[in-house]
Amino acid sequence: MDPSVLDDIAKSLEGIDLSIGSIDGIQLPQITCDAWDIIQNFQAREDDILVATYPKAGTTWAHEIVDLILLEGNTEKAQRAPCFIKVPFIDLVLPKPAKSAVEVANEMESPRLLKTHLPIQLVPPSFWEKNAKVVYVARNAKDCMVSYYYFQKMNKGLPDPGTWDNYFSSFLSGEVPWGSWFDHVIGWWKARDKYQILYIFYEDMIEDPMREIRKITRFIGKNLSEEVLEKIKEHTSFKAMKENPMANYSAFPSSLMDQSISPFMRKGTVGDWKNHFLMSQNIVFEEEYKQKMDGAGLIFRDLLP
Ligand code: A3P
Protein backbone atom coordinates (compact mmCIF):
# COMPACT_ATOMS: atom_id res chain seq x y z
CA MET A 1 0.00 0.00 0.00
CA ASP A 2 1.19 3.51 -0.80
CA PRO A 3 1.83 5.12 2.64
CA SER A 4 0.66 8.51 1.32
CA VAL A 5 -2.89 7.10 1.44
CA LEU A 6 -2.77 7.34 5.25
CA ASP A 7 -1.35 10.89 5.10
CA ASP A 8 -4.15 11.91 2.76
CA ILE A 9 -6.75 10.48 5.16
CA ALA A 10 -5.15 12.39 8.06
CA LYS A 11 -5.18 15.61 6.00
CA SER A 12 -8.81 15.07 4.98
CA LEU A 13 -9.79 14.71 8.61
CA GLU A 14 -8.29 18.09 9.55
CA GLY A 15 -11.11 20.57 9.77
CA ILE A 16 -13.69 18.05 8.56
CA ASP A 17 -17.37 18.73 9.33
CA LEU A 18 -18.11 16.35 12.21
CA SER A 19 -21.73 17.33 12.66
CA ILE A 20 -24.62 14.93 12.25
CA GLY A 21 -27.29 15.35 9.61
CA SER A 22 -30.16 13.16 8.57
CA ILE A 23 -31.53 11.36 5.52
CA ASP A 24 -35.16 10.22 5.59
CA GLY A 25 -35.19 10.59 9.37
CA ILE A 26 -32.03 8.53 9.92
CA GLN A 27 -29.12 10.26 11.65
CA LEU A 28 -25.99 10.08 9.50
CA PRO A 29 -22.68 11.98 9.51
CA GLN A 30 -23.09 15.31 7.70
CA ILE A 31 -20.34 14.31 5.25
CA THR A 32 -22.49 11.31 4.28
CA CYS A 33 -25.52 13.55 3.80
CA ASP A 34 -23.47 15.99 1.72
CA ALA A 35 -22.36 13.19 -0.60
CA TRP A 36 -25.73 11.45 -0.69
CA ASP A 37 -26.15 11.60 -4.49
CA ILE A 38 -22.70 10.10 -5.00
CA ILE A 39 -23.47 7.30 -2.53
CA GLN A 40 -26.89 6.57 -3.99
CA ASN A 41 -25.42 6.41 -7.49
CA PHE A 42 -22.76 3.93 -6.42
CA GLN A 43 -22.42 1.31 -9.15
CA ALA A 44 -22.44 -2.17 -7.67
CA ARG A 45 -21.17 -5.17 -9.62
CA GLU A 46 -22.71 -8.65 -9.81
CA ASP A 47 -19.82 -10.24 -7.96
CA ASP A 48 -19.54 -7.63 -5.18
CA ILE A 49 -19.78 -8.83 -1.61
CA LEU A 50 -21.23 -6.29 0.78
CA VAL A 51 -20.81 -6.71 4.53
CA ALA A 52 -23.75 -4.87 6.07
CA THR A 53 -24.29 -4.31 9.78
CA TYR A 54 -25.68 -2.00 12.38
CA PRO A 55 -22.60 -0.29 13.90
CA LYS A 56 -20.67 -2.43 16.39
CA ALA A 57 -22.27 -5.72 15.35
CA GLY A 58 -18.97 -7.30 14.29
CA THR A 59 -18.41 -5.67 10.90
CA THR A 60 -14.62 -5.75 11.04
CA TRP A 61 -14.59 -9.38 12.14
CA ALA A 62 -16.97 -10.40 9.36
CA HIS A 63 -15.14 -8.59 6.58
CA GLU A 64 -11.79 -9.98 7.70
CA ILE A 65 -13.33 -13.45 7.41
CA VAL A 66 -14.81 -12.72 3.97
CA ASP A 67 -11.52 -11.22 2.76
CA LEU A 68 -9.65 -14.37 3.81
CA ILE A 69 -12.23 -16.61 2.17
CA LEU A 70 -11.82 -14.69 -1.10
CA LEU A 71 -8.04 -14.97 -0.68
CA GLU A 72 -8.41 -18.72 0.04
CA GLY A 73 -6.65 -18.28 3.38
CA ASN A 74 -3.67 -16.25 2.15
CA THR A 75 -2.94 -14.36 5.38
CA GLU A 76 -0.03 -12.39 3.87
CA LYS A 77 -2.30 -10.89 1.22
CA ALA A 78 -4.88 -10.11 3.91
CA GLN A 79 -2.22 -7.83 5.45
CA ARG A 80 -1.96 -5.74 2.25
CA ALA A 81 -3.57 -2.68 3.87
CA PRO A 82 -5.45 -1.62 7.02
CA CYS A 83 -9.03 -2.90 6.99
CA PHE A 84 -10.54 0.58 6.59
CA ILE A 85 -8.61 0.95 3.32
CA LYS A 86 -8.92 -2.53 1.85
CA VAL A 87 -12.69 -2.68 2.49
CA PRO A 88 -14.23 0.61 1.27
CA PHE A 89 -16.92 1.93 3.60
CA ILE A 90 -19.35 3.22 1.01
CA ASP A 91 -21.30 5.38 3.51
CA LEU A 92 -18.39 7.79 3.98
CA VAL A 93 -17.05 10.21 1.41
CA LEU A 94 -14.07 12.02 2.89
CA PRO A 95 -13.14 15.41 1.45
CA LYS A 96 -9.94 15.74 -0.62
CA PRO A 97 -7.07 14.92 -0.62
CA ALA A 98 -8.23 11.43 0.48
CA LYS A 99 -9.95 9.39 -2.17
CA SER A 100 -13.57 8.72 -1.32
CA ALA A 101 -14.58 5.11 -0.65
CA VAL A 102 -16.65 5.29 -3.82
CA GLU A 103 -13.61 6.31 -5.89
CA VAL A 104 -11.48 3.60 -4.27
CA ALA A 105 -14.18 1.00 -4.96
CA ASN A 106 -14.53 2.13 -8.58
CA GLU A 107 -10.82 1.47 -9.10
CA MET A 108 -10.87 -1.95 -7.42
CA GLU A 109 -10.66 -5.22 -9.29
CA SER A 110 -13.52 -7.68 -8.89
CA PRO A 111 -14.61 -9.37 -6.76
CA ARG A 112 -14.86 -6.38 -4.45
CA LEU A 113 -15.50 -6.53 -0.72
CA LEU A 114 -17.40 -3.50 0.56
CA LYS A 115 -18.88 -2.32 3.85
CA THR A 116 -22.01 -0.43 4.84
CA HIS A 117 -23.97 0.40 7.99
CA LEU A 118 -26.94 1.73 6.03
CA PRO A 119 -30.44 0.52 6.85
CA ILE A 120 -31.74 -1.52 3.95
CA GLN A 121 -33.99 1.20 2.53
CA LEU A 122 -30.99 3.52 2.07
CA VAL A 123 -28.64 1.05 0.35
CA PRO A 124 -27.68 2.20 -3.17
CA PRO A 125 -30.23 0.54 -5.52
CA SER A 126 -27.58 -0.87 -7.86
CA PHE A 127 -26.79 -3.57 -5.25
CA TRP A 128 -30.29 -4.96 -5.79
CA GLU A 129 -30.26 -4.41 -9.56
CA LYS A 130 -27.03 -6.43 -9.78
CA ASN A 131 -28.23 -8.98 -7.23
CA ALA A 132 -24.93 -8.66 -5.34
CA LYS A 133 -24.30 -10.85 -2.29
CA VAL A 134 -24.67 -9.37 1.18
CA VAL A 135 -23.40 -10.82 4.46
CA TYR A 136 -25.51 -9.17 7.18
CA VAL A 137 -24.28 -9.56 10.76
CA ALA A 138 -26.72 -8.84 13.57
CA ARG A 139 -25.73 -8.54 17.23
CA ASN A 140 -28.04 -8.44 20.22
CA ALA A 141 -29.19 -4.91 21.02
CA LYS A 142 -27.86 -4.74 24.56
CA ASP A 143 -24.26 -5.58 23.67
CA CYS A 144 -24.49 -3.38 20.57
CA MET A 145 -25.60 -0.50 22.76
CA VAL A 146 -22.69 -0.93 25.18
CA SER A 147 -20.16 -1.31 22.37
CA TYR A 148 -21.56 1.73 20.53
CA TYR A 149 -21.45 3.81 23.73
CA TYR A 150 -17.70 3.20 24.09
CA PHE A 151 -17.19 3.70 20.37
CA GLN A 152 -18.93 7.07 20.44
CA LYS A 153 -16.69 8.03 23.35
CA MET A 154 -13.48 7.26 21.49
CA ASN A 155 -14.52 8.16 17.93
CA LYS A 156 -14.38 11.94 17.63
CA GLY A 157 -16.21 11.69 14.30
CA LEU A 158 -19.38 10.77 16.17
CA PRO A 159 -21.31 12.77 18.78
CA ASP A 160 -20.18 12.43 22.39
CA PRO A 161 -22.57 9.87 23.91
CA GLY A 162 -22.99 11.81 27.17
CA THR A 163 -23.81 9.80 30.29
CA TRP A 164 -24.68 6.11 30.05
CA ASP A 165 -28.18 6.97 31.23
CA ASN A 166 -28.71 9.51 28.44
CA TYR A 167 -27.18 7.19 25.88
CA PHE A 168 -29.49 4.39 26.94
CA SER A 169 -32.51 6.59 26.03
CA SER A 170 -30.98 7.85 22.77
CA PHE A 171 -30.15 4.33 21.60
CA LEU A 172 -33.61 3.00 22.46
CA SER A 173 -35.30 5.80 20.55
CA GLY A 174 -32.97 5.39 17.55
CA GLU A 175 -31.46 8.84 17.95
CA VAL A 176 -27.94 7.70 17.20
CA PRO A 177 -25.94 7.67 13.96
CA TRP A 178 -27.36 5.12 11.48
CA GLY A 179 -30.67 5.16 13.30
CA SER A 180 -32.68 2.61 15.20
CA TRP A 181 -31.15 -0.79 15.93
CA PHE A 182 -34.67 -2.26 15.82
CA ASP A 183 -35.56 -0.91 12.38
CA HIS A 184 -32.13 -1.93 11.06
CA VAL A 185 -32.16 -5.58 12.10
CA ILE A 186 -35.85 -6.04 11.19
CA GLY A 187 -35.52 -4.27 7.83
CA TRP A 188 -32.64 -6.50 6.73
CA TRP A 189 -34.34 -9.61 8.17
CA LYS A 190 -37.50 -9.03 6.13
CA ALA A 191 -35.47 -8.69 2.91
CA ARG A 192 -33.29 -11.75 3.43
CA ASP A 193 -35.24 -14.02 1.06
CA LYS A 194 -35.86 -11.37 -1.55
CA TYR A 195 -32.18 -10.77 -2.27
CA GLN A 196 -28.95 -12.73 -1.83
CA ILE A 197 -28.55 -11.95 1.85
CA LEU A 198 -26.84 -14.25 4.34
CA TYR A 199 -28.15 -13.16 7.75
CA ILE A 200 -25.87 -14.27 10.55
CA PHE A 201 -25.50 -13.48 14.24
CA TYR A 202 -22.49 -12.28 16.24
CA GLU A 203 -23.48 -14.60 19.09
CA ASP A 204 -23.35 -17.60 16.72
CA MET A 205 -19.92 -16.50 15.50
CA ILE A 206 -18.72 -16.41 19.10
CA GLU A 207 -20.29 -19.78 19.89
CA ASP A 208 -18.91 -21.66 16.90
CA PRO A 209 -16.74 -19.60 14.55
CA MET A 210 -15.92 -22.58 12.30
CA ARG A 211 -19.61 -23.27 11.68
CA GLU A 212 -20.24 -19.63 10.71
CA ILE A 213 -17.07 -19.40 8.59
CA ARG A 214 -18.23 -22.53 6.72
CA LYS A 215 -21.65 -20.93 6.21
CA ILE A 216 -20.10 -17.77 4.75
CA THR A 217 -17.73 -19.81 2.56
CA ARG A 218 -20.65 -21.77 1.08
CA PHE A 219 -22.63 -18.58 0.52
CA ILE A 220 -19.73 -16.99 -1.35
CA GLY A 221 -19.44 -20.11 -3.46
CA LYS A 222 -15.95 -21.18 -2.42
CA ASN A 223 -14.80 -24.64 -1.56
CA LEU A 224 -11.95 -24.54 0.96
CA SER A 225 -10.16 -27.30 2.83
CA GLU A 226 -10.56 -27.78 6.58
CA GLU A 227 -6.96 -26.68 6.97
CA VAL A 228 -7.65 -23.35 5.25
CA LEU A 229 -10.85 -22.82 7.23
CA GLU A 230 -8.94 -23.49 10.43
CA LYS A 231 -6.30 -20.93 9.40
CA ILE A 232 -9.03 -18.35 8.74
CA LYS A 233 -10.52 -19.04 12.17
CA GLU A 234 -7.16 -18.53 13.87
CA HIS A 235 -6.35 -15.34 11.96
CA THR A 236 -9.75 -13.85 12.81
CA SER A 237 -9.89 -14.75 16.50
CA PHE A 238 -10.42 -11.76 18.78
CA LYS A 239 -6.90 -12.10 20.17
CA ALA A 240 -5.30 -12.25 16.71
CA MET A 241 -7.31 -9.30 15.41
CA LYS A 242 -6.63 -7.23 18.53
CA GLU A 243 -2.91 -7.70 17.94
CA ASN A 244 -3.13 -7.23 14.16
CA PRO A 245 -2.26 -3.61 13.21
CA MET A 246 -4.12 -4.06 9.93
CA ALA A 247 -7.32 -5.04 11.74
CA ASN A 248 -7.27 -3.10 15.03
CA TYR A 249 -7.52 0.44 13.61
CA SER A 250 -4.18 1.43 15.19
CA ALA A 251 -3.23 2.83 11.75
CA PHE A 252 -6.22 5.17 11.85
CA PRO A 253 -5.42 8.79 12.83
CA SER A 254 -5.62 8.98 16.63
CA SER A 255 -7.01 12.52 16.32
CA LEU A 256 -10.24 10.82 15.26
CA MET A 257 -10.14 7.48 17.08
CA ASP A 258 -8.61 7.82 20.54
CA GLN A 259 -7.93 4.24 21.54
CA SER A 260 -6.60 5.38 24.92
CA ILE A 261 -10.25 6.14 25.79
CA SER A 262 -11.47 2.74 24.59
CA PRO A 263 -9.73 0.32 22.23
CA PHE A 264 -11.45 -0.53 18.96
CA MET A 265 -11.01 -4.22 19.82
CA ARG A 266 -12.58 -3.71 23.23
CA LYS A 267 -13.88 -7.00 24.70
CA GLY A 268 -15.30 -9.13 21.92
CA THR A 269 -17.70 -11.01 24.17
CA VAL A 270 -21.40 -11.78 24.59
CA GLY A 271 -23.17 -10.40 27.66
CA ASP A 272 -21.04 -7.38 28.58
CA TRP A 273 -24.36 -5.49 28.89
CA LYS A 274 -24.74 -7.19 32.28
CA ASN A 275 -21.88 -5.03 33.54
CA HIS A 276 -23.64 -1.83 32.41
CA PHE A 277 -27.43 -2.14 32.52
CA LEU A 278 -29.09 -1.13 35.77
CA MET A 279 -31.92 -3.42 36.78
CA SER A 280 -34.38 -0.57 36.15
CA GLN A 281 -32.93 -0.03 32.66
CA ASN A 282 -33.26 -3.70 31.89
CA ILE A 283 -36.98 -3.57 32.75
CA VAL A 284 -37.52 -0.53 30.47
CA PHE A 285 -35.47 -2.19 27.75
CA GLU A 286 -37.34 -5.52 27.87
CA GLU A 287 -40.71 -3.74 27.66
CA GLU A 288 -39.64 -1.67 24.66
CA TYR A 289 -37.99 -4.70 23.04
CA LYS A 290 -41.18 -6.75 23.27
CA GLN A 291 -43.21 -4.03 21.57
CA LYS A 292 -40.73 -3.27 18.83
CA MET A 293 -39.77 -6.86 17.97
CA ASP A 294 -43.30 -8.23 18.20
CA GLY A 295 -44.16 -10.30 15.13
CA ALA A 296 -40.74 -9.82 13.50
CA GLY A 297 -39.88 -13.52 13.87
CA LEU A 298 -36.33 -12.55 14.72
CA ILE A 299 -34.80 -14.19 17.77
CA PHE A 300 -31.58 -12.95 19.38
CA ARG A 301 -29.51 -14.71 21.95
CA ASP A 302 -27.78 -12.49 24.46
CA LEU A 303 -26.92 -15.22 26.89
CA LEU A 304 -23.45 -15.85 28.11
CA PRO A 305 -22.04 -18.78 26.13
P1 A3P B 1 -16.98 -4.80 21.80
O1 A3P B 1 -16.96 -3.31 21.84
O2 A3P B 1 -18.17 -5.38 22.51
O3 A3P B 1 -15.72 -5.43 22.27
P2 A3P B 1 -17.61 -3.32 14.44
O4 A3P B 1 -16.49 -3.96 13.73
O5 A3P B 1 -18.94 -3.54 13.81
O6 A3P B 1 -17.33 -1.89 14.76
O7 A3P B 1 -17.78 -4.09 15.83
C1 A3P B 1 -16.84 -3.95 16.85
C2 A3P B 1 -17.16 -4.95 17.92
O8 A3P B 1 -16.82 -6.26 17.46
C3 A3P B 1 -16.36 -4.71 19.19
O9 A3P B 1 -17.17 -5.21 20.26
C4 A3P B 1 -15.13 -5.59 18.92
O10 A3P B 1 -14.39 -5.91 20.07
C5 A3P B 1 -15.82 -6.81 18.32
N1 A3P B 1 -14.90 -7.65 17.53
C6 A3P B 1 -14.04 -7.26 16.58
N2 A3P B 1 -13.32 -8.30 16.11
C7 A3P B 1 -13.75 -9.38 16.81
C8 A3P B 1 -13.38 -10.78 16.79
N3 A3P B 1 -12.45 -11.24 15.99
N4 A3P B 1 -14.02 -11.60 17.65
C9 A3P B 1 -14.99 -11.14 18.48
N5 A3P B 1 -15.38 -9.84 18.54
C10 A3P B 1 -14.76 -8.97 17.70
Side-chain angles (χ1 to χ4, degrees):
M1 186 197 70
D2 177 356
S4 69
V5 173
L6 284 174
D7 292 341
D8 286 348
I9 291 179
K11 279 189 207 127
S12 288
L13 293 174
E14 284 167 20
I16 194 178
D17 181 355
L18 295 179
S19 62
I20 292 288
S22 108
I23 299 280
D24 293 347
I26 311 284
Q27 282 193 14
L28 288 169
Q30 188 56 46
I31 54 166
T32 298
C33 303
D34 291 344
W36 195 241
D37 283 349
I38 297 172
I39 296 169
Q40 280 300 289
N41 287 317
F42 180 82
Q43 291 306 303
R45 300 178 194 157
E46 279 170 17
D47 52 3
D48 281 345
I49 297 169
L50 180 65
V51 170
T53 55
Y54 187 78
K56 312 319 289 174
T59 331
T60 318
W61 188 11
H63 67 54
E64 194 63 17
I65 291 173
V66 176
D67 188 37
L68 277 160
I69 293 171
L70 292 172
L71 294 171
E72 302 186 349
N74 187 329
T75 47
E76 286 89 64
K77 276 201 187 152
Q79 298 297 91
R80 65 195 177 282
C83 59
F84 55 89
I85 291 174
K86 71 178 180 175
V87 185
F89 180 27
I90 58 162
D91 313 8
L92 280 192
V93 174
L94 291 181
K96 297 283 166 212
K99 275 189 184 171
S100 76
V102 170
E103 278 173 287
V104 174
N106 286 342
E107 290 168 9
M108 272 168 86
E109 280 179 22
S110 294
R112 301 181 299 184
L113 173 57
L114 307 163
K115 156 183 163 179
T116 187
H117 288 321
L118 291 171
I120 192 149
Q121 71 277 15
L122 297 185
V123 169
S126 65
F127 280 98
W128 313 128
E129 287 152 18
K130 298 286 179 188
N131 200 22
K133 286 185 179 165
V134 183
V135 176
Y136 184 84
V137 187
R139 185 182 194 183
N140 79 80
K142 294 177 185 176
D143 284 333
C144 249
M145 189 193 298
V146 171
S147 183
Y148 209 177
Y149 172 69
Y150 284 101
F151 190 61
Q152 287 197 221
K153 267 178 182 282
M154 64 82 96
N155 187 336
K156 303 300 165 197
L158 298 175
D160 183 283
T163 63
W164 166 246
D165 205 34
N166 283 342
Y167 192 71
F168 178 84
S169 305
S170 307
F171 186 96
L172 265 193
S173 58
E175 279 157 33
V176 289
W178 284 278
S180 156
W181 176 93
F182 298 93
D183 295 345
H184 207 284
V185 295
I186 293 173
W188 280 94
W189 178 252
K190 283 190 179 154
R192 74 196 184 288
D193 294 331
K194 194 166 162 205
Y195 304 115
Q196 295 202 84
I197 298 172
L198 176 71
Y199 199 105
I200 57 174
F201 295 89
Y202 180 90
E203 293 72 25
D204 290 344
M205 291 167 73
I206 291 280
E207 182 184 68
D208 189 345
M210 273 299 264
R211 181 189 59 209
E212 301 307 304
I213 292 170
R214 266 196 208 102
K215 219 184 261 177
I216 302 171
T217 307
R218 261 198 313 274
F219 176 70
I220 290 175
K222 285 270 185 191
N223 192 2
L224 303 176
S225 68
E226 278 302 293
E227 198 188 334
V228 168
L229 294 175
E230 195 63 49
K231 191 173 169 194
I232 294 175
K233 186 189 101 176
E234 290 309 317
H235 189 84
T236 57
S237 70
F238 180 73
K239 187 171 178 295
M241 285 185 59
K242 192 175 172 72
E243 287 165 6
N244 179 353
M246 295 299 159
N248 65 14
Y249 277 83
S250 55
F252 202 80
S254 56
S255 56
L256 202 74
M257 276 193 197
D258 186 346
Q259 302 218 27
S260 68
I261 296 176
S262 177
F264 185 89
M265 295 290 166
R266 198 181 59 89
K267 285 199 175 174
T269 56
V270 178
D272 189 36
W273 66 268
K274 292 180 186 170
N275 301 315
H276 295 80
F277 276 51
L278 299 173
M279 217 187 289
S280 55
Q281 287 176 328
N282 202 32
I283 292 167
V284 171
F285 181 93
E286 291 292 336
E287 193 51 46
E288 191 90 3
Y289 192 84
K290 246 186 253 137
Q291 281 178 25
K292 292 200 162 129
M293 298 299 279
D294 186 38
L298 179 55
I299 310 289
F300 279 87
R301 298 184 304 148
D302 56 359
L303 305 173
L304 289 169

